[in-house]
Amino acid sequence: MFRDAWLMASKDLRIERATRVGTGQILPFGGLVLILFGLAISPVYQVTVAVGVRRPMLAQAAPGLFWITVLLAALLALGRSFAVESTDGNLDALKMAGLDPAGIFLGKSAAVAAQLLALQLVLGIGAFILYGPPLADPVLLLTVVILATLGITAAGTVYAAVASGLRVRDTMVPLLVLPVVAPVLLAATKATEAALFGPLDNGWSWAMLLGVFALLYAGVGMLAFGPIMEES
Amino acid sequence: MVNLSGAISLIGGFPALAGVDLTVDDGEIVVLRGPNGAGKSTLLRLCAGLAPLNGGSGTILGHDLASRERRRRIRRETGLLAHQTFLYDELTVEDNLRFWAKANRADPSTVEPILDRLDLGGRLRTVKISALSAGQRRRASVAVMVCRRPKIWLLDEPHAGLDQAGRDFIDEIVRHAVRFGATVIIASHDHGRVSNLATRTVHLVGGMVTGAEDGQGEGRSVS
């Protein structure tokens, strides 16, 4: 299984290196979304978050805006990941090769996760510059980024595979993926808020929940990917 | 090698195969003929373990088509050359062949000789599939098949879109495969060309076998 996962992940990353879709299209798209959010919310607006505590609205909203941006970029990356398999019948070729479906799932998830993590590094710097939030706990933030990315890619890979066999896959991927990853979005936003502003105890609880989501989605994906491929 | 009795296969609820009876023996080169929509491609996909068996019975290489687990074994032991290339457009010829060799657990040392043997060495090996001509893509798809060393070769219109040299190349590869122990089933409209290869021609109409005739091809046995 892990051999097949490595094979698939390295192949997908080689395709990304050859086409530069991530750096040439998805990253600029994410950057544009961040900028548009920044333009939509005036930096002079303030919100009261506790008695006597006021913050710029843009900074307060930064966690949610960042994760929505990441989610939109993830939809593009997931769609792209399965477009390369369905364009020239490669899903059939993968079936004929006898690769372990769980390995294919893990490999494709890992490749998208690697691209998203690289993307978030750049988008995260952009979000700090544009929105200006503080940073209370970098370790918690790093943990949240990794766990949320694993959850998004695991759930997204399952549903992108479901949609890959459909003629309307481009529009079906967001419809299928967004409701499923809504809990991840919520937990990631809460945990990121804690990592940026505190209190930290609350943040680690949310991070643990993200870990549970990631494990759950990965487990479901590994079990379900075989039947999904058969029906694709 | 192939034993189908009353095989029915539904594609989107439509019976693409409506009760096919077919036996193919070891070393044969069987040509499937019939009009568009006769079920030739579906029959090849059924033999590859990709299309479902919804009725009747069938075994491929002794594996029962009705069993999902057995269908996985069938897929590993057969090779399908279809209208699609089964290649990644964004990768080079060599990257594709190396990936599919590993995916199919083929001997990696065979990649270099196959590239050279199929005239895909030299400059072509570093060219992306998307930049190749139709004939070169077909050649690259065949290279993957050769690498897999399947027991049954399932070829869907292998000569389509190829020039004379490309067609001769496909014929040579088919003869070579049979010489080395493979059984070949070809779906083709190019009767003039494939009749030289066929040990038997099977006629399909409306998802059913309507007739068969022996040929003078170069397979190792004629039923």
Side-chain angles (χ1 to χ4, degrees), chain A residues 183-230:
Chain A
V184 177
L185 180 74
L186 177 68
T189 301
K190 290 291 184 189
T192 305
E193 266 180 28
L196 298 181
F197 306 108
L200 301 177
D201 288 351
N202 191 28
W204 284 106
S205 302
W206 285 110
M208 282 175 60
L209 188 61
L210 280 174
V212 171
F213 281 139
L215 280 175
L216 183 70
Y217 290 147
V220 169
M222 288 169 68
L223 290 174
F225 214 69
I228 290 170
M229 277 187 71
E230 285 296 318

Side-chain angles (χ1 to χ4, degrees), chain A residues 52-118:
Chain A
V53 181
R54 287 175 64 78
R55 288 193 194 124
M57 184 188 279
L58 196 52
Q60 184 63 30
L65 299 180
F66 174 76
W67 282 111
I68 288 173
T69 305
V70 169
L71 203 51
L72 294 175
L75 291 175
L76 296 183
L78 287 162
R80 166 75 184 153
S81 173
F82 281 89
V84 299
E85 304 298 350
S86 49
T87 305
D88 239 328
N90 289 320
L91 273 179
D92 279 345
L94 290 174
K95 287 181 205 170
M96 294 200 68
L99 290 178
D100 186 340
I104 295 173
F105 165 77
L106 286 178
K108 294 201 79 68
S109 297
V112 174
Q115 293 174 59
L116 276 186
L117 286 172

